[in-house]
Amino acid sequence: MPARKLVALLAPWLPALLASLFLGLAAPALSQTNAVISAPPPAAKPAIARPLPPPPPEWIADGKALDGIAAALPHSHGETRLSALASQAATILARARTAEATANSQKAEALADLKPLLARPRARRGPQDRTRVAALQAHVAEFGREAGQAAALAARASDVFDAVAEVRRTDFSTQVLSRYPSPLSPGYWTALAAAGAQDVDRFADLAQEAEHSAISAPEPKGLAILLAGGLLAFLIAWPLMWLGLRLADRFTVGEGERIPLSAQRLWIALVEFGLPSLAAMAVRAAAAWGGLLSPKADALAGSGVVAIAWAAAVLALGRALGTGRDAKRRLIPISDREAARARGCLSAVALVTAAGFILTRLIFVTGASVASDVAAHDFLSLAYVVVGAGILLALRADPTGSGADPATKAPVRGVFSMLLAAALIATVAVLLAGYATLSALISGQVFWLSLLAAVTYLLLRVIDDLVGRLFGGGGWARRALASLFRLSTSAIGQIGVLGIAALQLLVMIGALSLALTPYGQSGDLLISHLGRLGQPLRFGTATLSLTAIATGVGALVIGVTLARLVRDWVVRRYLPATTWDSGVRNSVGTGVGYLGVGVALVVAMAAMGLGFQQIALIASALSVGIGFGLQQIVQNFVAGIILLIERPVKVDDWVNLDGCEGEVRRIRVRATEVRTLDRTTVIIPNSDFITKVVQNRSTGSPRGRLALQFAVADQADLRRARDLIERTAASQDDILKTPAPAVFIDSLSEDGAIHLTCRVYAAEPRNGDQVRTQLFLAVLDASAEAKLALRGPAAA
């Protein structure tokens, strides 16, 4: 075939063939140019194609050591053992981070040498340059792998170290009664100085990591989101809070306030607590979304939000209860001087609480040593002691004499001051003795219980005022119940009182639950450790211990106290809302008290570990004592129960027992108090009201019959005297019209005088002497006006 024809035949395919040939020859060079860390070099260059070396032997040994630490950690306890494990993990972590930094530095140097070669056109590269590029790429890949292995080892060492630190902190927190070096001893400061260098390094690493995360954040996104979060926080903290406070004033200003004062103070507390917390959360969320926070910095930012919330809660509750500048809107009646003192003390409490929470969280996040943890707890405890001492000074008597009545404030103020002083003294004592955890527990619990008591008091006041207003005179709940169910006023009042009691009981149960699982859940730990102090003692089938006895006595005291509180509430709040008479109210109140004491005894016996068999033994022993010396006491006790159930004699009844006449004032467990006409009190055993004849003038128709005797000298004046006496008696307001007063001839005397007896009925027998006197005076005045001569002694 001629050459010209061959060229003409291949001409259409020539561009494709040239392109394929070019791509086949240039592909390796393009792949080396575009990838800094490429695949292993071709097999044609044995110097570059050698496999990368495995991790150094010391790294393998460090990995096995970390495995051993992680395996031994669940079974390791005690500061010496845990400190050794933490030191080993910290050493591996430092070595891995150093290796990682070295490998990254070498990788950066290799990349710096590689970039000029890759920037040179391929046509100008000689064989030596291509060999150099391949070698540098291999070095970059090798150093990158070393850096990755070192970073993985460092991350694992950091996790193990954090796990050891968590176990150390948990061990430190659970060992409530464990003793550490006292702040007065040189060993305390020596241990703190020895661990201080490492802790400072950890804080520096945390700061460096946070700085690196903030610098590495996307430039426009991070700053824009942070500014948006700051603007949102400003809007929440100022305009929205101003609107919330103005809304509360709008509903309570003036005489016709639409909500109770306690509800308004609760709203103010919620606004001043919730909005600053939301503002802090907005700033933290913006920083996190913008990528400005490292993981540890994000944890510290979360602790900052919680610290702001604690401080805001303290200040808000203080203002809601009594530190506001308007004296008329203080739920606790204190003077302006005392309110100013309280504001300063609460500001100090808020500052110490927020700073202490951030400090302890910082130690937790950085994995600081136990010595630093102990020092932080001691510092926080001393800060609480100083603030508590300031509160005690603020609670001293107001020299101006303003504010509420000192007589009403003295008991509460005195009890609170005594408890606070005892807690402060105990905190200082156990802190100087070396019990750091216990001192932190006491000081933290004082703050927690005080805050909890303030919240509980505020909620109880709100429930009492709001529900009382709803079921009060013009409340919508009262109107709704009356219109829908046709309930009486008394029934609606009882429903309101029971509703208040139910809601307040729920609040108190919740507060008690929070008090038993308190700040840091340290209460359960203390109780579990105190439970080890008493060993059980066996008496046959019964098992008793000092702890069980103390628990039983405590349960009995608490149960009796609660029984009395319930009885007082029933007598003071519930029974006045009923239409029952005073006798029924007394029976119900006394029965509730007896029932509460009985339940308290059963609970106390159960708390001491006594079963039914042991209780039966105790009952049999008591029966022997009853048989010998307690018969009268038990008899009177049973008689008192019969009096309360059958109610033959009730409170306010007018009774006569063996010539002792008077008003029943109180029915006790053993005896009944009767107040006679001469205003003296007679104590009568209850059994006498059951076994003897008792005249109850208040039973049935509560009226008393009176008999007045007169004498008429002239028989001609008999009918006129009878009519005058009956007419005068009927005109008296204290004498019943039915049965009507009646006058009878009693006898005739030797001198011709006629003796008359006037019988009348008084509405209230206990006023018999007063009614008799008034009737005598009226009859004598009427006989004098009618010129009628009456004579003779008046006999009852």
Side-chain angles (χ1 to χ4, degrees):
M1 181 179 296
R4 182 177 294 179
K5 290 184 178 181
L6 181 61
V7 171
L9 182 63
L10 295 177
W13 301 96
L14 187 60
L17 292 175
L18 292 176
S20 300
L21 181 61
F22 175 76
L23 290 175
L25 294 175
L30 290 175
S31 62
Q32 293 177 0
T33 303
N34 294 329
V36 177
I37 303 176
S38 62
K45 299 179 179 180
I48 301 176
R50 68 179 186 274
L52 293 176
E58 59 269 17
W59 290 9
I60 299 176
D62 289 342
K64 293 181 179 179
L66 292 177
D67 292 338
I69 295 174
L73 187 58
H75 310 287
S76 299
H77 298 283
E79 176 57 21
T80 304
R81 174 61 176 165
L82 293 175
S83 179
L85 295 178
S87 178
Q88 186 179 0
T91 302
I92 297 175
L93 176 61
R95 189 161 53 238
R97 287 180 175 175
T98 302
E100 181 185 2
T102 303
N104 285 328
S105 177
Q106 293 174 348
K107 178 181 177 181
E109 294 176 359
L111 286 174
D113 295 338
L114 180 61
K115 287 181 180 180
L117 295 176
L118 294 178
R120 185 182 305 175
R122 181 174 180 80
R124 299 179 56 184
R125 298 180 196 171
Q128 186 177 0
D129 291 336
R130 288 194 294 270
T131 303
R132 179 66 176 168
V133 168
L136 289 175
Q137 289 177 346
H139 289 320
V140 168
E142 181 179 357
F143 294 143
R145 181 178 178 182
E146 289 181 1
Q149 291 175 347
L153 182 63
R156 189 177 178 193
S158 178
D159 293 339
V160 172
F161 180 82
D162 291 341
V164 175
E166 177 65 23
V167 172
R168 292 176 71 187
R169 281 186 294 272
T170 303
D171 194 61
F172 170 75
S173 299
T174 55
Q175 300 297 326
V176 179
L177 301 180
S178 296
R179 188 174 182 181
Y180 297 87
S182 171
L184 301 179
S185 64
Y188 179 90
W189 303 103
T190 302
L192 184 60
Q198 295 181 357
D199 294 337
V200 170
D201 292 339
R202 296 189 184 97
F203 296 151
D205 292 341
L206 174 63
Q208 184 177 3
E209 181 183 351
E211 181 182 2
H212 177 72
S213 297
I215 294 175
S216 303
E219 285 294 339
K221 173 185 175 182
L223 184 60
I225 294 180
L226 182 61
L227 291 178
L231 179 61
L232 179 60
F234 173 77
L235 294 176
I236 292 175
W238 183 65
L240 191 58
M241 180 178 291
W242 181 81
L243 289 175
L245 298 180
R246 291 287 297 173
L247 182 64
D249 293 336
R250 180 179 179 182
F251 282 95
T252 55
V253 171
E255 297 294 334
E257 58 181 19
R258 300 170 63 180
I259 61 174
L261 177 62
S262 57
Q264 184 248 20
R265 305 315 291 176
L266 176 61
W267 171 258
I268 288 179
L270 292 176
V271 169
E272 295 185 346
F273 158 71
L275 295 185
S277 303
L278 288 177
M281 292 173 61
V283 174
R284 182 216 175 174
W289 291 343
L292 299 172
L293 299 178
S294 64
K296 293 184 178 180
D298 185 65
L300 286 179
S303 65
V305 172
V306 176
I308 292 175
W310 278 117
V314 172
L315 297 177
L317 283 173
R319 184 181 175 188
L321 292 180
T323 62
R325 300 187 182 277
D326 189 356
K328 296 180 180 179
R329 297 191 177 184
R330 295 173 187 159
L331 294 182
I332 300 178
I334 58 177
S335 64
D336 293 338
R337 184 186 296 270
E338 291 172 327
R341 294 175 186 169
R343 280 194 296 270
C345 293
L346 290 180
S347 299
V349 171
L351 178 61
V352 170
T353 302
F357 189 85
I358 294 177
L359 177 61
T360 53
R361 189 62 181 174
L362 177 63
I363 291 176
F364 174 81
V365 170
T366 56
S369 62
V370 174
S372 298
D373 203 359
V374 171
H377 281 83
D378 290 344
F379 175 77
L380 186 59
S381 299
L382 287 177
Y384 274 123
V385 168
V386 173
V387 174
I391 294 176
L392 286 177
L393 293 177
L395 289 176
R396 66 184 185 273
D398 188 2
T400 63
S402 58
D405 186 9
T408 61
K409 297 192 300 179
V412 177
R413 184 195 297 268
V415 171
F416 179 77
S417 299
M418 291 176 59
L419 293 177
L420 180 58
L424 297 181
I425 294 173
T427 301
V428 175
V430 298
L431 187 147
L432 296 179
Y435 297 96
T437 309
L438 184 58
S439 65
L441 170 66
I442 296 174
S443 59
Q445 290 304 103
V446 170
F447 161 75
W448 171 246
L449 294 178
S450 301
L451 187 69
L452 193 60
V455 174
T456 304
Y457 175 77
L458 180 57
L459 291 179
L460 293 180
R461 284 288 303 269
V462 170
I463 291 172
D464 197 359
D465 294 342
L466 275 181
V467 180
R469 176 167 295 190
L470 291 177
F471 288 88
W476 65 265
R478 185 187 189 93
R479 296 194 306 268
L481 291 176
S483 60
L484 292 177
F485 302 103
R486 304 297 180 182
L487 296 178
S488 63
T489 303
S490 176
I492 296 175
Q494 295 178 44
I495 293 174
V497 172
L498 292 177
I500 292 174
L503 294 176
Q504 290 182 341
L505 182 61
L506 290 177
V507 171
M508 296 180 67
I509 291 175
L512 183 61
S513 301
L514 292 175
L516 295 178
T517 54
Y519 200 50
Q521 297 182 354
S522 302
D524 295 338
L525 302 176
L526 178 61
I527 293 174
S528 65
H529 280 27
L530 291 177
R532 302 175 186 174
L533 297 178
Q535 296 297 329
L537 302 176
R538 295 186 178 276
F539 299 94
T541 59
T543 301
L544 294 178
S545 64
L546 295 178
T547 304
I549 295 175
T551 304
V553 173
L556 180 61
V557 173
I558 295 174
V560 172
T561 303
L562 292 177
R564 291 185 177 180
L565 291 176
V566 172
R567 182 198 63 189
D568 294 342
W569 178 87
V570 169
V571 173
R572 180 173 50 88
R573 295 294 303 274
Y574 178 73
L575 293 179
T578 65
T579 57
W580 300 338
D581 58 73
S582 59
V584 176
R585 296 179 186 180
N586 178 77
S587 299
V588 172
T590 307
V592 170
Y594 288 169
L595 180 61
V597 173
V599 173
L601 288 173
V602 173
V603 172
M605 291 182 181
M608 285 190 287
L610 297 178
F612 288 105
Q613 296 181 354
Q614 290 78 16
I615 295 176
L617 292 176
I618 296 175
S620 61
L622 289 177
S623 63
V624 176
I626 292 172
F628 283 101
L630 301 178
Q631 288 183 353
Q632 295 297 324
I633 296 177
V634 174
Q635 182 180 4
N636 290 322
F637 176 77
V638 174
I641 295 177
I642 295 174
L643 290 178
L644 293 175
I645 295 176
E646 293 187 356
R647 300 174 63 238
V649 175
K650 306 178 296 296
V651 175
D652 295 335
D653 282 356
W654 191 265
V655 298
N656 189 339
L657 177 64
D658 290 341
C660 178
E661 185 174 353
E663 179 186 13
V664 177
R665 300 298 300 171
R666 191 172 184 181
I667 300 176
R668 295 182 176 271
V669 177
R670 188 193 63 84
T672 298
E673 298 179 4
V674 176
R675 187 169 63 184
T676 60
L677 292 174
D678 57 359
R679 315 301 293 180
T680 59
T681 300
V682 179
I683 308 299
I684 301 177
N686 290 332
S687 58
D688 289 354
F689 287 94
I690 303 299
T691 60
K692 295 183 179 181
V693 177
V694 180
Q695 182 183 10
N696 190 345
R697 296 188 176 182
S698 300
T699 303
S701 178
R703 58 191 181 183
R705 192 185 71 169
L706 303 177
L708 288 76
Q709 293 184 353
F710 301 92
V712 180
D714 191 355
Q715 182 177 358
D717 297 332
L718 176 60
R719 295 183 181 276
R720 194 158 59 97
R722 187 187 67 177
D723 294 339
L724 184 145
I725 295 174
E726 289 181 350
R727 186 173 57 254
T728 303
S731 65
Q732 300 296 312
D733 295 334
D734 294 334
I735 295 177
L736 297 177
K737 303 302 184 290
T738 304
V743 177
F744 305 93
I745 298 176
D746 186 48
S747 63
L748 300 175
S749 62
E750 295 180 357
D751 57 357
I754 304 173
H755 296 272
L756 303 176
T757 299
C758 175
R759 292 190 178 91
V760 296
Y761 290 89
E764 183 58 50
R766 67 200 69 196
N767 298 330
D769 292 342
Q770 181 179 358
V771 174
R772 180 185 291 110
T773 301
Q774 294 295 332
L775 182 56
F776 266 124
L777 292 176
V779 170
L780 292 177
D781 292 341
S783 63
E785 292 179 2
K787 296 181 180 180
L788 180 65
L790 297 177
R791 63 185 179 88

